[in-house]
Amino acid sequence: MRTESGLSKALERSMNNQCRFMTLEECLRNETVVDKLDDERRDKAHKNTKWHINMTKCFEKRLEEFLAGLYILIPEENINIGKEIMEDLKNHNETYFKNLNDLEEKELYFEEQSDNTREYMKAYTKKAMELSRLESSEVEKKMMEEALMTRLGK
């Protein structure tokens, strides 16, 4: 069985490196697709949340108007209970929506950081692959020259 030459080993190493970089590049490309779908999902969720906030405010206003109209028909103590419940509901919603808004801001910030990192990795991978090609070509060229010199006896 013939032993492999340094040149063939260098070529194999070079090809394996290129394959690894290409795999990494493809994974990053796929992650970009997944991220785009996640961005669309997030946008829909945020729109749905804003719709919910607007509807809740509308319902609160309608309930407040309804309670105000009941003042004539219902004893004042029952109206006060209704007003307390209404105030509790407003406070709850205000706190909830403030916390939700804070979470959405953080989510968008971290998403931006993730996007930036992924784009950097894509560019770095492409640059590293090109540098690997150039370096491998230089090594292969040098090994061929040395093999030729050895064969010629120089």
Side-chain angles (χ1 to χ4, degrees):
M1 180 171 197
R2 190 175 142 201
T3 59
E4 296 183 60
S5 70
L7 185 58
S8 67
K9 293 298 279 180
L11 180 60
E12 179 183 9
R13 181 191 55 77
S14 173
M15 292 173 70
N16 286 339
N17 281 340
Q18 292 302 313
C19 184
R20 290 177 190 118
F21 280 120
M22 289 170 69
T23 300
L24 179 58
E25 191 174 41
E26 182 62 16
C27 289
L28 289 168
R29 185 204 60 77
N30 183 264
E31 175 55 27
T32 301
V33 172
V34 171
D35 184 64
K36 183 175 171 37
L37 293 172
D38 187 48
D39 289 347
E40 291 171 6
R41 178 211 52 82
R42 182 180 310 97
D43 288 343
K44 286 180 182 179
H46 289 185
K47 286 177 184 173
N48 190 51
T49 299
K50 288 186 185 347
W51 170 80
H52 177 72
I53 291 168
N54 291 334
M55 292 305 296
T56 299
K57 288 178 181 177
C58 179
F59 295 147
E60 286 175 357
K61 184 177 178 182
R62 288 177 59 200
L63 183 56
E64 205 171 295
E65 291 169 356
F66 176 74
L67 289 173
L70 287 179
Y71 183 70
I72 302 168
L73 305 172
I74 299 177
E76 189 172 337
E77 61 192 45
N78 289 343
I79 292 294
N80 289 338
I81 292 171
K83 287 181 180 179
E84 288 174 12
I85 293 170
M86 185 66 203
E87 193 61 34
D88 289 345
L89 178 63
K90 281 185 176 182
N91 289 338
H92 166 77
N93 284 336
E94 186 178 304
T95 301
Y96 174 76
F97 294 132
K98 181 185 178 308
N99 289 339
L100 186 62
N101 189 48
D102 291 346
L103 290 172
E104 285 178 355
E105 287 177 14
K106 287 177 184 175
E107 178 184 23
L108 292 173
Y109 172 78
F110 290 129
E111 174 63 20
E112 181 181 354
Q113 298 306 307
S114 175
D115 289 348
N116 292 341
T117 300
R118 186 179 51 261
E119 290 306 313
Y120 173 82
M121 289 175 61
K122 286 167 57 176
Y124 184 83
T125 300
K126 189 172 190 169
K127 183 178 177 180
M129 186 165 31
E130 186 58 31
L131 286 173
S132 177
R133 277 189 200 122
L134 293 173
E135 290 170 354
S136 292
S137 293
E138 286 298 314
V139 167
E140 292 159 9
K141 178 182 173 187
K142 183 73 173 162
M143 290 183 78
M144 284 185 222
E145 289 171 350
E146 288 174 357
L148 181 60
M149 294 304 250
T150 301
R151 185 176 253 185
L152 294 176
K154 294 182 180 181

